[in-house]
Amino acid sequence: MEAATAGTRAAAEAQPRKRGKISNRTKSERRLGWMLCAPAVIVMIAVTAYPILYSVYLSLLRADLRFPGDRAFIGVDNYVTVLGSSLWWADFFHTALIMVVSVSIELVFGMLLALVMHRAIFGRGLVRTASLIPYGIVTVVAAYAWLLAFSTPSGGFVPHVLGIQHDLVDQGHPVTSFLVVIAAEVWKTTPFMALLLLAGLALVPDELHEAAKVDGASAWQRFWRITVPLMKPAILVALLFRTLDAFRIFDSAFIIGQNGTNPKIETVSILGYNQLLNRLNLGLGSAVSVLIFLCVLVLAFFFIKVLGTERPGDAA
Amino acid sequence: MVAGCGGSKTAAAKLNFWSYDEPGGTFRDAAKRCTQQSNGKYQISFNALGNDADTQRQALVRRLAAKDSSIDILSMDVVWTAEFAQAGWIKPWPANFRAAVSKGTLNGPLQTATYKGRLYGAPANSNTQLLWYRKDLVPGQPPKTWDDLIDTASKMKTAGRIEIQGAQYEGMTVWFNSVEQSAGGQILSGPSKVGLPTAPTMNALRIMAKFGRAKSADPSLSSQKEDQNRLAFESGQAAFQINYPFIYASAKANNPKLYQQIGWAPYPTVNVADSAKKAPVGGFNWGVGGYSKHPAEAFAAAACMRDSQNQRDFAIKGGLPPTLSSLYDDPAFVKSYPFAKLVRQQLEAGAVRPQTPLYADVSLAIYKTLSPVSAINPPQTLGQLRSRITDALQSKGLL
């Protein structure tokens, strides 16, 4: 593996020097390379680049399906509207809150779960399989399970057991609404976090632990001084994936917010959905979508450039 | 595919009817019955939409915006008429059918199906809210005006609560629209012009704010919808509720003792003289898709599926108030619906919600501004309402 990567790297470094006099063989190899990539590139352009560029284009128009005759180019007006709206910022705050709280809890729980999976001696396979079940359940189904457990009008058992008369997940009770959404997210995606962390744990050599043990380091010291620093790349990749995912949260919040009717847990994705599918305002809705995309880009940039996360695919 | 008894040589036009599935199955029955009665002219197949109005609208609109010709007949909430008509998603009814549909139809429902002077739907069923009260707790005549209602309830020693829809959703717009009209105002003065004259609107907002801050308000008013109201009333927590008649049959099943004590009165008004006027008007109209390949058959089929026989079926089996005046005298209906006369009176003079292609936006702007009602500050709220509705009418702003 390592040798191969080193080889490619060396080749890549060597290339600029040769520029200007490319041999026929290299040329035909390059052409073959392009031809082999072409199907993938075409598919990616069709399913990713085209929709993204089309959204960017739509976001610069006044485009409302209800008034097909009124289409016009209005520049960045839609962005001005979105960024000037208190609703966008309220929903942005809701999203950020759900993202930060749920990812933090997931990191702690995911690490614990990964340690359990790593250290389990008996029934290791069973532990690993069982812990993956929540991740395997369809998000909408899981969200309904949480909604039905906490919603009083739906006969949820939680308010029943606690003797609570009001609905825990309606717009009158934002705090409990948030807690339920966050709990559903944590329950659902901790296994994913744990799997990514488990891969990192496997990279920590046992000898280091044994050496530290001989030197008299406590379990806590070994965890903080050996495991965590060596796992840092894996932790950052796990955080990157989950943060980007959590920012785009839609299904859990939509279902637990009773088809998006609870404005207290409305997220930016639900906001975009409302503009696009309820108001049929393609311009505004696309502007929201593009802004969500930019937020995700900024988050990814922060993780990769500032925290130094390795991009997936770049081997260490 | 040949109808059992029909001897016609031309093939029957295949019509698709899109509607929510009435749980009693009466819409499917109507489609079957009309197919049979058409003698092989057309064949209606029923396509079920989702259960709540938003889901239904989304499903229809997505198809109609793509000019789907498979939507021949569609069931539309009374507030969609203008939007669908303006976009060309539904066809106006031709004169001959128009006369047949209008005949004997109550005025409120008929108005909801009319946009810019043309008929765009056949009112199939309707609904309105009444003031329900506990006869054992409210002696004598029930209150007629909003002020009287709030004062009476606030002074009561036990269960002095009024249940109403105070959550941030369509129900809030329904409430505000009725109070505003009863106060003498209108939300819009044209399909794209804000109304909200100062004096009546200030009065309407004053009443809603008073309602929200009064002792008689439910502590969870800001999250209450129809079903929460029903539950609170059924469990004996309230003396009054403003709600649709479904609560009557529900109380009979869930709390027979309390059911005996339920009284009903006209929807409250701002002035006594307006009694039984300006109550909410709900329900569904049946339209013909703008891209249908068989419009003539579709109009005939839609008209058939809301005729007297079918509406009687919707009313008795499905509990849906009819739009045909004569059915309110039907003994079988009146037996299960003792308030039939009052409902008819209210539907005849009801407060129709604003007719604008941007209704969804306008309604969002209204309920997001007014909820929670306890926080309404009339002069300030009036300004917000005007500016937000103005934005909504230009399809500007995020909602």
Side-chain angles (χ1 to χ4, degrees), chain A residues 62 64-68 81-83 85-88 153 165-167 170-173 254 258-259 261 263-264 266 271 273-275 277-281 284 288, chain B residues 52 54-55 57-58 61-62 65 83 86-87 89 167-169 220 222-223 225 227-228 231 237 357-361 364 368 371 388 392 394-399:
Chain A
R62 173 168 14 152
D64 191 319
L65 281 183
R66 292 170 294 191
F67 304 96
T81 306
V82 174
L83 293 174
S85 152
S86 59
L87 190 61
W88 159 264
Q165 296 292 323
H166 65 254
D167 192 354
D170 69 9
Q171 46 186 317
H173 304 90
F254 186 77
Q258 297 169 28
N259 291 342
T261 57
K264 301 289 154 52
E266 187 172 283
L271 182 69
Y273 167 90
N274 281 340
Q275 311 311 314
L277 285 113
N278 276 334
R279 296 181 69 203
L280 307 170
N281 197 328
L284 273 180
V288 172
Chain B
D52 64 289
D54 282 344
T55 323
R57 179 172 160 272
Q58 270 177 25
V61 153
R62 267 207 299 266
E83 177 185 16
Q86 183 74 40
W89 295 336
Q168 236 183 75
Y169 80 121
S220 50
S222 68
S223 57
K225 302 185 183 180
D227 212 49
Q228 281 93 319
L231 267 171
Q237 293 170 25
L358 287 150
Y359 180 79
D361 298 26
L364 261 165
K368 287 208 164 172
S371 179
R388 287 189 190 166
Q394 296 165 2
S395 81
K396 274 205 308 205
L398 278 188
L399 292 163

Side-chain angles (χ1 to χ4, degrees), chain B residues 81-206:
Chain B
T81 313
E83 177 185 16
F84 285 34
Q86 183 74 40
W89 295 336
I90 46 175
K91 288 185 194 293
W93 284 58
N96 52 331
F97 282 113
R98 183 187 173 132
V101 166
S102 314
K103 203 182 150 205
T105 302
L106 293 165
N107 186 39
L110 197 61
Q111 262 190 54
T112 66
T114 312
Y115 178 61
K116 290 191 172 164
R118 299 173 94 172
L119 184 73
Y120 279 96
N125 59 66
S126 192
N127 221 336
T128 188
Q129 295 190 331
L130 302 179
L131 168 65
W132 307 90
Y133 64 96
R134 292 261 303 272
K135 285 190 276 189
D136 52 338
L137 299 175
V138 183
Q141 284 291 309
K144 285 202 168 67
T145 65
W146 287 106
D147 283 312
D148 192 9
L149 172 64
I150 300 166
D151 297 340
T152 310
S154 298
K155 277 182 214 135
M156 289 171 64
K157 285 193 187 70
T158 50
R161 264 191 207 170
I162 316 166
E163 295 294 323
I164 200 162
Q165 299 84 49
Q168 236 183 75
Y169 80 121
E170 182 62 28
M172 170 70 76
T173 306
V174 169
W175 180 19
F176 174 66
N177 180 56
S178 283
V179 183
E180 171 75 14
Q181 290 202 26
S182 179
Q186 280 285 351
I187 295 174
L188 300 186
S189 57
S192 54
K193 266 187 79 186
V194 189
L196 299 177
T198 308
T201 311
M202 290 288 282
N203 198 14
L205 292 173
R206 174 193 65 81

Side-chain angles (χ1 to χ4, degrees), chain A residues 100 188 304:
Chain A
V100 170
K188 177 88 179 63
I304 291 173

Side-chain angles (χ1 to χ4, degrees), chain A residues 41-83:
Chain A
V41 170
I42 291 168
V43 169
M44 287 303 282
I45 288 174
V47 303
T48 318
Y50 171 70
I52 291 176
L53 292 176
Y54 188 56
S55 303
V56 172
Y57 167 70
L58 278 176
S59 72
L60 301 173
L61 300 183
R62 173 168 14 152
D64 191 319
L65 281 183
R66 292 170 294 191
F67 304 96
D70 290 358
R71 233 175 219 232
F73 183 82
I74 51 168
V76 293
D77 269 17
N78 285 327
Y79 292 96
V80 173
T81 306
V82 174
L83 293 174

Side-chain angles (χ1 to χ4, degrees), chain B residues 57-350:
Chain B
R57 179 172 160 272
Q58 270 177 25
L60 288 172
V61 153
R62 267 207 299 266
R63 285 166 172 273
L64 290 168
K67 303 190 178 5
D68 186 343
S69 65
S70 79
I71 298 186
D72 298 297
I73 308 166
L74 59 156
S75 141
M76 306 181 293
D77 192 299
V78 291
V79 292
W80 303 340
T81 313
E83 177 185 16
F84 285 34
Q86 183 74 40
W89 295 336
I90 46 175
K91 288 185 194 293
W93 284 58
N96 52 331
F97 282 113
R98 183 187 173 132
V101 166
S102 314
K103 203 182 150 205
T105 302
L106 293 165
N107 186 39
L110 197 61
Q111 262 190 54
T112 66
T114 312
Y115 178 61
K116 290 191 172 164
R118 299 173 94 172
L119 184 73
Y120 279 96
N125 59 66
S126 192
N127 221 336
T128 188
Q129 295 190 331
L130 302 179
L131 168 65
W132 307 90
Y133 64 96
R134 292 261 303 272
K135 285 190 276 189
D136 52 338
L137 299 175
V138 183
Q141 284 291 309
K144 285 202 168 67
T145 65
W146 287 106
D147 283 312
D148 192 9
L149 172 64
I150 300 166
D151 297 340
T152 310
S154 298
K155 277 182 214 135
M156 289 171 64
K157 285 193 187 70
T158 50
R161 264 191 207 170
I162 316 166
E163 295 294 323
I164 200 162
Q165 299 84 49
Q168 236 183 75
Y169 80 121
E170 182 62 28
M172 170 70 76
T173 306
V174 169
W175 180 19
F176 174 66
N177 180 56
S178 283
V179 183
E180 171 75 14
Q181 290 202 26
S182 179
Q186 280 285 351
I187 295 174
L188 300 186
S189 57
S192 54
K193 266 187 79 186
V194 189
L196 299 177
T198 308
T201 311
M202 290 288 282
N203 198 14
L205 292 173
R206 174 193 65 81
I207 287 170
M208 289 177 81
K210 176 176 170 183
F211 191 107
R213 292 183 197 132
K215 231 182 82 198
S216 57
D218 192 297
S220 50
L221 174 64
S222 68
S223 57
Q224 285 202 308
K225 302 185 183 180
E226 289 89 351
D227 212 49
Q228 281 93 319
N229 298 146
R230 172 190 68 82
L231 267 171
F233 189 81
E234 262 171 26
S235 60
Q237 293 170 25
F240 297 96
Q241 77 168 319
I242 310 281
N243 213 333
Y244 296 96
F246 79 100
I247 64 113
Y248 192 67
S250 166
K252 189 176 178 180
N254 298 337
N255 191 345
K257 235 177 108 186
L258 187 130
Y259 167 76
Q260 300 293 334
Q261 298 299 333
I262 298 183
W264 53 86
Y267 190 84
T269 48
V270 173
N271 307 304
V272 186
D274 282 347
S275 190
K277 287 175 192 155
K278 312 300 179 199
V281 179
F284 282 84
N285 302 324
W286 287 347
V288 169
Y291 310 101
S292 166
K293 289 188 181 120
H294 312 284
E297 288 88 349
F299 282 118
C304 168
M305 286 195 294
R306 49 84 67 186
D307 69 6
S308 180
Q309 189 187 8
N310 286 315
Q311 283 208 30
R312 185 169 183 270
D313 218 29
F314 304 160
I316 292 170
K317 284 196 203 149
L320 300 171
T323 60
L324 292 169
S325 179
S326 59
L327 285 170
Y328 287 87
D329 298 320
D330 189 296
F333 178 54
V334 175
K335 197 173 163 231
S336 62
Y337 222 72
F339 28 81
K341 292 248 150 56
L342 178 57
V343 168
R344 172 165 63 188
Q345 206 184 335
Q346 290 196 174
L347 288 177
E348 187 67 32

